[in-house]
């Protein structure tokens, strides 16, 4: 499809390319199954056979297993390449349709070859050149995407003959290395060396800010099965306790919830649009996960969403749905631009009200959020994307504290349902005041979260009812639990409207807050 023509682009089917990519990714299951069979065979032989011949056979089986498993990253990469091509085609087709509509409105006609003709009775002299340029831009975008995909697939085809992977030189980025340094290290490796690291050191690659999104996704997908096995093993340990006891029962329910969340997340990783990229996964504790919808490394606009209290692996699919709704709205408002949305749940969110009354967990999360945003900047291809960070509820405090104390690679910050962001004024957050946004529903109970006073302290220490902790009856003023209300004009930022919906209704269809969030992401 290189040198994409007008008729080709009209006829192009992005869904077909996505389906082809998914088919390649679907082969990873059988590959892992065959690798498991080889491992099982080797294990049985070790138990029943000894001597030089046994050692030789064991080595051969181990080598075969390595060859089989080395294919998995390439299968995922093929899926990524075709999904990215599909995403570019969606944008190119939207731009093409926009150009044709613009021509029609100007009294111009676009023929089947893409040539622009004049209707003398309706001509707007200034429009012909602009329409022609818009058509060329759409075709050039599709052509560039096609060439990139073809080059990457050609490289994969060559690797099938020369070897998928080869060990990289010694040396790895030190713990806490700046994402820019990580990016430079990764750029110095060959494709075969990168695939070796994905297959042999997925924990390193999957969690390293500064490694491109595609590689992190490959590495983390390879670990999903092992992560699920960890949860199943934890459940078996709890089930073998006799008697189980109330604490074990609570833990069993928590493990079951995390398993359900992981299974739902796995389903989203294998289906749905846009393609999901798994950038981090840890089922320990309440569970942590980082997932992108769309590829942030090639998007024009990138949203990072930080959820609040009680967020964990069990409800990650629901939180990802919120990010998806903002992304859908962006696609409606700007179909000719590529946007991506990231669910960032790489911190220990508070589970109980006494934890949520402290900024400690927000402070602990700050360095990780800072590094993640720096990593997005370091790995992005082409012109810099507009990066927006959104925090909901306690997540708004995480975003605010990270911005205040560490700085965030962000062009805009958004807060919804905020109990305060750890700042008295928007100017403390390191982005222009005109790019600090907030929204709050008129019936959001968070507006009653007033500053800590002696009554609040006693209520928390004595496990008093929620109403006492939140400080009912409502008091006047604009100070919330963690600082000045960011939705108040005195904070110095900007405000977008929200309809009623309580503390969690900001993403509901028809709520003007959803439109407001999308427009901030787009910079409109």
């Amino acid at each position: 499809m290189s040198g994409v023509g007008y008729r080709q682009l009209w006829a192009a089917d992005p869904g077909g390319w996505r389906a082809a990519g998914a088919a390649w990714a679907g082969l990873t299951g059988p590959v892992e199954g065959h690798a498991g069979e080889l491992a099982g065979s080797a294990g049985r032989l070790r138990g029943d056979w000894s001597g030089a011949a046994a050692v030789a056979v064991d080595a051969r089986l181990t080598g075969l297993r390595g060859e089989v498993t080395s294919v998995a990253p390439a299968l995922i990469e093929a899926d990524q390449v075709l999904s990215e091509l599909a995403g570019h085609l969606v944008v190119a087709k939207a731009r093409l349709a926009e150009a044709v509509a613009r021509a029609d409105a100007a009294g111009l006609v676009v023929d089947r070859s893409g040539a622009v003709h004049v209707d003398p009775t309706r001509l707007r002299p200034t429009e012909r050149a602009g329409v022609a340029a818009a058509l060329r831009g759409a075709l050039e975008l599709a052509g560039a995407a096609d060439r990139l995909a073809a080059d990457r697939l050609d490289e994969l085809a060559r690797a099938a003959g020369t070897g998928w992977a080869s060990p990289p030189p010694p040396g790895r980025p030190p713990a806490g290395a700046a994402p820019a340094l990580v990016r430079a290290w990764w750029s110095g490796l060959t494709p075969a060396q990168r695939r070796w690291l994905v297959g042999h050191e997925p924990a390193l690659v999957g969690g390293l800010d500064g490694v491109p999104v595609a590689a992190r996704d490959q590495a983390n997908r390879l670990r999903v099965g092992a992560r699920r096995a960890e949860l199943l093993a934890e459940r078996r340990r709890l089930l073998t306790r006799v008697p189980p006891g109330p604490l074990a029962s609570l833990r069993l329910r928590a493990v079951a919830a995390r398993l359900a969340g992981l299974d739902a997340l796995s389903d989203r990783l294998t289906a749905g649009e846009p393609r999901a990229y798994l950038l981090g996964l840890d089922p320990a504790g309440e569970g942590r996960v980082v997932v992108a919808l769309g590829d942030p490394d090639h998007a024009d606009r990138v949203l990072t969403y930080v959820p609040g209290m009680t967020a964990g692996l069990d409800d990650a699919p629901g939180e990802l749905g919120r990010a998806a709704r903002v992304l859908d709205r962006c696609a409606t408002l700007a179909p000719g631009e590529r946007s991506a949305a990231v669910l960032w749940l790489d911190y220990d969110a508070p589970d109980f009200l006494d934890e949520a009354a402290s900024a400690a967990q927000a402070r602990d999360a700050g360095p990780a959020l800072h590094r993640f945003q720096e990593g997005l900047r370091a790995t992005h291809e082409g012109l810099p994307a507009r990066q927006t960070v959104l925090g909901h509820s306690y997540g708004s405090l995480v975003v605010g504290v990270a911005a205040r104390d560490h700085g965030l690679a962000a062009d805009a910050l958004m807060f919804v349902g905020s109990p305060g962001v750890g700042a008295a004024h928007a100017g403390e957050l390191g982005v222009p005041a005109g790019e600090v946004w907030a929204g709050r529903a008129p019936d959001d109970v968070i507006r009653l979260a007033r500053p800590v006073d002696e009554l609040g302290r006693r209520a928390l220490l004595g496990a008093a009812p929620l109403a006492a902790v939140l400080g009912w009856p409502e008091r006047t003023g604009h100070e919330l639990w963690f600082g000045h209300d960011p939705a108040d004009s005195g904070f110095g930022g900007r405000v977008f409207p929200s309809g009623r919906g309580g503390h969690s209704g900001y993403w509901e269809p028809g709520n003007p807050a959803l439109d407001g969030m999308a427009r901030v992401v787009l910079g409109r």
Side-chain angles (χ1 to χ4, degrees):
M1 217 173 113
S2 296
V4 175
Y6 179 80
R7 281 183 289 183
Q8 282 181 297
L9 184 53
W10 269 123
D13 177 18
W17 291 110
R18 287 196 185 97
W24 282 105
L27 295 175
T28 57
V31 164
E32 291 171 357
H34 290 313
E37 291 171 4
L38 288 169
S41 298
R44 288 190 295 273
L45 285 173
R46 292 189 197 102
D48 300 331
W49 193 15
S50 61
V55 171
V57 170
D58 182 65
R60 179 55 180 156
L61 286 173
T62 300
L64 285 172
R65 181 172 180 270
E67 291 175 18
V68 169
T69 55
S70 69
V71 176
L75 296 173
I76 299 172
E77 187 173 346
D79 174 34
Q80 292 171 337
V81 170
L82 296 176
S83 293
E84 289 166 18
L85 172 61
H88 283 295
L89 289 177
V90 168
V91 173
K93 286 171 72 73
R95 292 184 184 179
L96 190 68
E98 183 180 353
V100 171
R102 179 177 167 186
D104 182 67
L108 301 170
V109 177
V110 181
D111 66 21
R112 291 187 176 185
S113 68
V116 181
H117 302 281
V118 176
D119 179 347
T121 65
R122 300 176 58 198
L123 174 64
R124 294 183 187 178
T126 60
E127 282 294 300
R128 185 174 185 177
V131 168
L135 290 170
R136 282 196 304 273
L139 297 176
E140 288 169 0
L141 173 61
D146 178 67
R147 289 190 294 274
L148 177 61
D151 289 345
R152 292 178 64 185
L153 292 173
D154 283 345
E155 196 280 323
L156 282 173
R158 288 193 299 271
T162 60
W164 293 113
S166 62
R172 305 289 183 266
L181 294 177
V182 173
R183 175 59 167 154
W185 165 73
W186 187 262
S187 297
L189 301 172
T190 67
Q193 290 169 342
R194 296 170 189 163
R195 288 192 200 100
W196 190 96
L197 284 166
V198 167
H200 290 79
E201 300 182 27
L204 170 72
V205 175
L208 204 52
D209 294 314
V211 169
V213 163
R216 292 181 68 172
D217 175 59
Q218 294 166 23
N220 285 311
R221 282 174 181 257
L222 294 178
R223 302 182 73 208
V224 169
R227 293 306 207 183
R228 190 173 191 278
E230 291 172 16
L231 287 173
L232 290 172
E234 184 178 353
R235 186 174 68 177
R236 284 194 297 270
R237 286 194 299 270
L238 292 169
L239 287 170
T240 56
R241 294 186 180 181
V242 181
L247 183 58
S249 296
L250 286 173
R251 288 177 177 171
L252 267 173
R253 285 197 291 272
V255 170
R258 277 182 280 150
L259 269 170
L262 180 57
D263 288 343
L265 187 62
S266 297
D267 290 342
R268 180 58 184 86
L269 291 173
T270 56
E273 298 179 13
R275 188 187 190 279
Y277 292 76
L278 184 60
L279 306 184
L281 176 64
D282 184 357
E286 299 298 320
R288 301 184 180 198
V289 65
V290 182
V291 184
L293 298 177
D295 180 6
D297 284 350
H298 296 93
D300 304 306
R301 309 284 185 265
V302 180
L303 168 68
T304 301
Y305 164 52
V306 183
M309 182 177 169
T310 73
L313 182 57
D314 56 342
D315 57 2
E319 297 291 0
L320 190 62
R322 291 177 170 179
R325 288 173 199 162
V326 179
L327 196 59
D328 288 345
R329 190 62 186 142
C330 288
T332 299
L333 293 171
E337 296 184 18
R338 293 199 70 185
S339 299
V342 182
L343 167 64
W344 189 86
L345 182 47
D346 195 17
Y347 83 106
D348 181 21
D351 291 315
F352 304 102
L353 197 59
D354 58 340
E355 294 177 337
S358 166
Q361 283 159 275
R363 288 194 295 268
D364 291 344
L369 182 56
H370 165 78
R371 283 195 305 273
F372 180 76
Q373 288 297 120
E374 291 291 330
L376 290 180
R377 282 275 194 245
T379 60
H380 191 271
E381 300 285 349
L383 295 174
R386 174 178 168 84
Q387 292 189 175
T388 302
V389 185
L390 163 66
H392 173 237
S393 191
Y394 193 87
S396 69
L397 179 65
V398 172
V399 174
V401 169
R404 182 196 69 195
D405 293 348
H406 306 281
L408 287 177
D411 301 286
L413 303 178
M414 279 194 291
F415 309 110
V416 292
S418 177
V421 300
H425 192 273
E428 300 175 29
L429 301 178
V431 299
E435 291 287 9
V436 176
W437 293 82
R440 189 183 68 203
D443 58 343
D444 190 339
V445 70
I446 205 71
R447 73 192 190 283
L448 304 174
R450 297 306 183 191
V452 179
D453 56 14
E454 192 57 34
L455 172 62
R457 292 180 190 276
R458 287 200 304 269
L460 285 172
L461 294 174
L466 176 63
V469 174
L470 290 177
W472 273 296
E474 184 175 0
R475 292 168 286 185
T476 60
H478 301 289
E479 290 298 314
L480 297 177
W481 198 274
F482 294 111
H484 199 111
D485 181 359
D488 172 57
S489 60
F491 185 71
R494 301 171 72 180
V495 178
F496 52 79
S498 173
R500 300 179 69 85
H503 191 54
S504 58
Y506 297 97
W507 292 268
E508 292 302 316
N511 192 328
L514 181 59
D515 191 77
M517 288 186 279
R519 290 185 181 278
V520 173
V521 172
L522 295 170
R524 296 187 172 185

